[in-house]
Amino acid sequence: MTSPFAHDDGCPFEMFARHPRPELTGTVLRIVGYRERARRPGVQREPASLVVPLIVSFGEPFRIGLGRQPSPEDRYGSFAAGLFAGPVLIESLGASHCLQIDFTPLGARRFFGLPMREFTDRMVSLDAALGNAGIRLREQLGNLRCWKERFNLAERFVLDRIAGMAAPPRQLVEGYRWIEAAGGQIKVEKLAEHVGWSRKHLVNRFMSEVGVGPKTVARLARFGRALATAQRSPSLAALAADCGYSDQAHMTREFQALAGLPPTALISRATAR
């Protein structure tokens, strides 16, 4: 499918999206291809989320700042980005052309075969993350001109790679899924009891394998739920109560910290799109 998208400054580009095949459920959330149609600078502000993106670029690099305005030196072409509990500011020069695979944190752990703490709060170049396999993937994708063929190749690459990787521990998978199912409204002690690990061991395994502790995962899950349900809520106070915030002020502080915008501005922007 294709749809127009606009940067924060109104600069449009074409976006092509595919829901991954069933075999990738729990590993890949979606695959996106996009290409800007106007050769002028554009800015995007991405809120924090439980997504680990892999970007394979065929165009100009991006300037990316974690929680701040990027500098001219903050240039990234093809890369993977770990979890970051804050807004990400992305600048392009108007000629970006990329394929993006959005992984779940546990899916990324299996795909990269590395502890996700090595990706936390940073961007890792494609060759550093995947070695020669990543370089070949970029060349093969770049030689294709059809997005359907690119998506097919990307899916095959992910499936072939995870087939040779060990799955995360059952307790870690159960713990992560329980946080998601609860919308982040769960105590770490209760989670540890549920999976049969000590609190310390649970925190250490999350920090290593997911990249952040279970408390931060719960915080991001709660924020994600608030974003997803905001337009259906009768009021911000009701939204805060439904999502487990202590009050509306607490929710506003979390939106500001994780998205760099208050709830009203973020919801208005989502509605406009």
Side-chain angles (χ1 to χ4, degrees):
M1 58 179 289
T2 64
S3 61
F5 182 82
H7 292 290
D8 287 351
D9 68 351
C11 174
F13 63 83
E14 291 290 329
M15 183 171 73
F16 307 78
R18 171 187 286 187
H19 293 293
R21 63 180 69 180
E23 304 96 297
L24 290 172
T25 300
T27 299
V28 175
L29 296 167
R30 68 172 186 166
I31 305 176
V32 177
Y34 52 97
R35 187 170 192 170
E36 290 174 327
R37 297 181 293 155
R39 301 186 67 87
R40 61 187 178 88
V43 179
Q44 296 180 67
R45 178 187 294 270
E46 295 293 334
S49 68
L50 288 170
V51 174
V52 177
L54 172 66
I55 286 80
V56 181
S57 176
F58 319 114
E60 293 179 340
F62 296 97
R63 293 175 182 170
I64 302 175
L66 299 179
R68 60 174 175 77
Q69 196 72 28
S71 70
E73 291 73 35
D74 295 320
R75 293 168 65 86
Y76 302 92
S78 297
F79 64 93
L83 297 182
F84 173 67
V88 180
L89 275 68
I90 306 169
E91 293 183 356
S92 72
L93 299 178
S96 66
H97 180 195
C98 306
L99 181 142
Q100 178 171 327
I101 306 173
D102 286 338
F103 290 93
T104 66
L106 292 181
R109 171 64 179 92
R110 187 173 185 182
F111 173 77
F112 291 110
L114 296 168
M116 291 313 295
R117 66 185 173 202
E118 298 185 18
F119 293 73
T120 305
D121 297 349
R122 60 188 290 239
M123 277 70 71
V124 179
S125 67
L126 182 65
D127 58 338
L130 294 175
N132 290 333
I135 296 173
R136 289 193 299 272
L137 174 65
R138 192 224 171 271
E139 292 175 349
Q140 292 170 348
L141 289 171
N143 288 333
L144 298 173
R145 293 295 177 264
C146 170
W147 282 109
K148 181 179 179 180
E149 293 179 353
R150 283 178 171 174
F151 291 160
N152 289 341
L153 175 59
E155 286 184 329
R156 289 196 303 270
F157 182 84
V158 175
L159 285 168
D160 289 346
R161 187 170 175 87
I162 64 175
M165 299 290 188
R170 173 188 57 80
Q171 296 92 331
L172 191 67
V173 174
E174 285 185 5
Y176 184 89
R177 288 177 177 171
W178 208 25
I179 293 175
E180 280 194 315
Q185 298 184 56
I186 187 170
K187 300 285 188 181
V188 176
E189 291 78 8
K190 186 72 174 178
L191 187 65
E193 179 183 344
H194 174 74
V195 303
W197 280 349
S198 69
R199 186 185 190 281
K200 181 178 180 180
H201 186 65
L202 177 76
V203 171
N204 288 341
R205 291 305 297 268
F206 262 79
M207 291 291 292
S208 175
E209 306 298 318
V210 178
V212 296
K215 188 173 181 179
T216 299
V217 172
R219 184 185 178 201
L220 294 174
R222 179 173 56 186
F223 174 64
R225 178 181 176 184
L227 279 181
T229 60
Q231 295 182 42
R232 302 195 301 271
S233 182
S235 68
L236 291 180
L239 179 66
D242 181 60
C243 294
Y245 294 103
S246 58
D247 52 30
Q248 184 176 330
H250 177 208
M251 183 179 72
T252 298
R253 290 193 299 272
E254 283 291 271
F255 268 63
Q256 195 69 52
L258 297 174
L261 294 170
T264 50
L266 200 58
I267 293 168
S268 297
R269 192 182 73 161
T271 303
R273 289 181 177 176

